[in-house]
Amino acid sequence: SFFLEQNYPNPFNPTTSVTFDLPRRSHVVLAVYDVLGREIAVLVDEMREAGRQSVEFQADRYASGVYLYRLRADGFVQVRKMVLQK
């Protein structure tokens, strides 16, 4: 099944890894948002093969704080929090 894991490490500075599972080949959008809901980065926006996927988020140009990341794939949506601590 689809699953979005908690980023690791969390809190992080300045790089973290986001891992997710896909049960089948799907178009995936993985984006990062600030606490006001503004999209600040798109980490993935493409077709991905089934299986475990991992993407790195480089946040050295962003301020410390709480961010949200959202995975969308084939009608599945999941959101998690991450903390950037400089």
Side-chain angles (χ1 to χ4, degrees), residues 9-10 33 41 62 69 73:
N10 191 34
Y33 300 85
Y62 301 108
Y69 57 104

Side-chain angles (χ1 to χ4, degrees), residues 4-21:
L4 177 62
E5 293 187 9
Q6 185 62 52
N7 65 301
Y8 181 82
N10 191 34
F12 68 99
N13 178 26
T15 304
T16 190
S17 180
V18 176
T19 302
F20 54 93
D21 295 323

